[in-house]
Amino acid sequence: MDGKVVIFSAPSGAGKSTIVNHLLKKFPELEFSISATSRAPRGNEQDGREYYFFSAERFRQLIAEDKFVEHEEVYPGSFYGTLKSEVERIWAKGHVIVFDIDVKGGVNVKRIFGDKAFSVFIQAPSVDVLRQRLIGRGTDSAEAIEKRVAKAASEMEFAAGKFDYVLVNDDLETALAEAEKIIGKFIEK
Ligand code: 5GP
């Protein structure tokens, strides 16, 4: 059974998770696509909730078995991907899939699903603000933060013109209201 998909991509620290979690609460027909990853769980992340956690070896095996809709090596040595079984699981319930996925993956998923997909790029106001947000989150080392900031700068360049909608997260309340409006419209269509 085929349904709709909503894609959110953003440099990390742009407020993507906050916006996605807000929308998941607001619209019961939305369901989060749980990605597979080869990175280790962070904080209190649980297998089958935030991600399906696999070893790099098992991940490569799943790639070889053609089990993924898309997959990327988002950070060197860390693989992320969406399993075909995850898409089927959510559509079988008649739900709209929500992807929280890196910028390259977002562009790929949009290409795969075409008109069934609505892709949103969440833009942080600036690289400096982004760095401050990541520091404030307190879950990453200084080195990891600089890696993410460098990646963010190149992602902003890459994303220009490739998404259906660019949502600037300058003021969170405004961004949440705007997100509700555009997603509501797409779901009802
Ligand atoms: P984190 O390690 O912070 O959870 O995620 C790192 C990046 O990987 C984020 O930008 C996240 O959106 C992205 N990501 C998560 N799942 C997938 C996926 O299935 N495919 C791709 N290409 N990227 C993903």
Side-chain angles (χ1 to χ4, degrees):
M1 196 175 98
D2 273 14
K4 291 181 185 176
V5 323
V6 183
I7 303 158
F8 289 95
S9 297
S12 63
K16 181 175 57 173
S17 306
T18 309
I19 292 170
V20 170
N21 288 333
H22 174 82
L23 292 170
L24 287 168
K25 275 196 210 119
K26 185 86 195 170
F27 298 103
E29 57 271 70
L30 293 180
E31 185 162 348
F32 183 69
S33 165
I34 302 165
S35 293
T37 184
S38 71
R39 81 150 162 78
R42 271 204 308 253
N44 58 2
E45 287 179 339
Q46 273 172 32
D47 186 45
R49 191 177 65 184
E50 285 81 8
Y51 285 105
Y52 301 114
F53 293 100
F54 294 112
S55 66
E57 192 193 351
R58 176 72 182 131
F59 202 101
R60 271 191 277 268
Q61 200 180 353
L62 291 168
I63 295 172
E65 290 169 5
D66 196 26
K67 299 287 195 209
F68 287 101
V69 176
E70 71 75 47
H71 59 85
E72 291 285 341
E73 188 174 357
V74 176
Y75 299 105
S78 295
F79 296 94
Y80 295 79
T82 302
L83 291 162
K84 291 177 179 172
S85 56
E86 182 67 6
V87 169
E88 292 308 322
R89 181 182 76 79
I90 297 173
W91 276 349
K93 295 184 190 168
H95 287 170
V96 174
I97 305 175
V98 174
F99 286 102
D100 170 343
I101 172 173
D102 89 316
V103 176
K104 239 166 112 188
V107 172
N108 282 337
V109 170
K110 171 66 189 177
R111 198 179 300 128
I112 293 163
F113 293 105
D115 288 345
K116 290 194 203 97
F118 184 65
S119 63
V120 181
F121 182 77
I122 300 170
Q123 175 112 50
S126 74
V127 164
D128 284 338
V129 172
L130 200 67
R131 183 182 287 112
Q132 286 313 315
R133 283 186 190 170
L134 287 172
I135 292 168
R137 193 167 77 174
T139 53
D140 296 280
S141 67
E143 193 195 343
I145 287 173
E146 283 317 308
K147 236 161 82 178
R148 281 167 189 270
V149 168
K151 187 172 165 62
S154 70
E155 280 179 336
M156 286 189 205
E157 244 174 71
F158 176 81
K162 295 194 178 79
F163 284 77
D164 292 324
Y165 198 89
V166 176
L167 181 65
V168 180
N169 184 11
D170 196 345
D171 170 65
L172 182 61
E173 289 310 313
T174 310
L176 291 178
E178 196 176 333
E180 272 181 35
K181 206 168 99 191
I182 56 169
I183 298 308
K185 221 164 107 186
F186 175 71
I187 291 175
E188 282 156 25
K189 199 169 71 173

